[in-house]
Amino acid sequence: MNYLAHIFLSGNNDLLKIGNFMADGIRGNDYLKFPEDVKNGIILHRHIDTFTDAHPIYRKSKHRLHEKYGHYAGVIMDILYDHFLAKNWSHYSSEKLEDYTANFYKSLEDNYDILTEKTQNLMPYMTERNWLTSYATIAGIEMILFQMDYRTKHRANMQEAVVELQEFYSEFEKEFTLFFEELRAFCLQQMKKL
């Protein structure tokens, strides 16, 4: 799961969303220095990643990309799954995607001082290009994949994965839909424990 899913799976708590959003850049016990709800978001993020990486449906989706993209297949798959969440957003939320993402960007601004430096540096690019809303289109996904590939010095040509996205579109979408229902239920359980 990529940014949009991690934020969405955090429920309505802004600090939980922020923790879940920036968790990838926080190593080991470094999460302990954050406010309680942010810490819980980081913990939830880690649970989501563990659940996702081990899930047979997600692994089936990722397997289609593995031969061509190797180590980066999981990164790409996370982004493709976010595409299906954004594309089918009205099935999951009564709030428009544009409003939801604008509110999240605002909460990042409102809580700027607790963000990691990496997140603070990412914010201008993310908001200017409206990454979270752009996930809804194939062109938006191609842009995101290109930016990810740029950050890895073009080791995998990740933007080419739109070819596989289009070729296996219905398979990926069905797999996402089944998987995401299970992931949502899992996250609700985990949030009760936090």
Side-chain angles (χ1 to χ4, degrees):
M1 300 284 90
N2 204 45
Y3 292 136
L4 184 60
H6 276 289
I7 297 161
F8 176 75
L9 292 166
S10 300
N12 295 319
N13 182 319
D14 284 348
L15 292 181
L16 202 70
K17 289 178 186 179
I18 288 170
N20 203 336
F21 167 70
M22 65 182 187
D24 273 335
I26 299 163
R27 301 285 167 239
N29 288 334
D30 289 351
Y31 77 98
L32 294 171
K33 66 184 177 187
F34 291 96
E36 195 66 24
D37 285 341
V38 176
K39 279 195 283 194
N40 287 337
I42 295 164
I43 293 166
L44 180 60
H45 180 106
R46 292 174 179 181
H47 287 310
I48 290 168
D49 282 357
T50 301
F51 180 89
T52 300
D53 291 342
H55 200 285
I57 295 174
Y58 176 83
R59 291 168 71 92
K60 181 180 179 182
S61 292
K62 186 172 87 167
H63 184 73
R64 285 191 196 96
L65 303 174
H66 196 270
E67 187 177 335
K68 185 172 177 184
Y69 302 101
H71 167 74
Y72 296 100
V75 174
I76 295 166
M77 202 63 247
D78 289 349
I79 294 167
L80 299 189
Y81 268 20
D82 260 19
H83 165 67
F84 293 109
L85 173 58
K87 176 193 172 238
N88 298 300
W89 184 258
S90 63
H91 296 304
Y92 301 105
S93 176
S94 57
E95 187 175 8
K96 286 185 176 176
L97 180 60
E98 295 78 7
D99 296 338
Y100 183 87
T101 58
N103 289 333
F104 179 70
Y105 298 147
K106 175 81 166 72
S107 88
L108 289 176
E109 288 172 25
D110 292 345
N111 295 285
Y112 188 82
D113 293 342
I114 62 169
L115 303 178
T116 61
E117 186 178 342
K118 179 182 173 184
T119 305
Q120 290 173 346
N121 293 335
L122 181 73
M123 270 180 61
Y125 302 104
M126 183 180 198
T127 55
E128 181 185 318
R129 295 186 175 108
N130 197 3
W131 285 1
L132 298 176
T133 302
S134 73
Y135 286 134
T137 67
I138 291 175
I141 290 296
E142 188 170 21
M143 176 195 70
I144 296 294
L145 289 169
F146 178 81
Q147 289 168 348
M148 296 292 286
D149 205 50
Y150 178 79
R151 290 192 352 223
T152 62
K153 299 181 174 43
H154 303 289
R155 287 188 199 117
N157 293 318
M158 285 189 249
Q159 71 275 7
E160 291 178 10
V162 294
V163 172
E164 286 82 7
L165 172 61
Q166 291 169 316
E167 183 178 352
F168 300 106
Y169 199 87
S170 62
E171 292 92 333
F172 282 138
E173 187 164 24
K174 284 176 194 157
E175 289 159 4
F176 165 79
T177 303
L178 292 170
F179 167 75
F180 200 63
E181 283 310 306
E182 292 185 34
L183 179 59
R184 287 176 75 194
F186 170 79
C187 287
L188 287 173
Q189 284 180 324
Q190 295 304 312
M191 283 194 286
K192 287 176 188 171
K193 296 177 188 175
L194 295 174

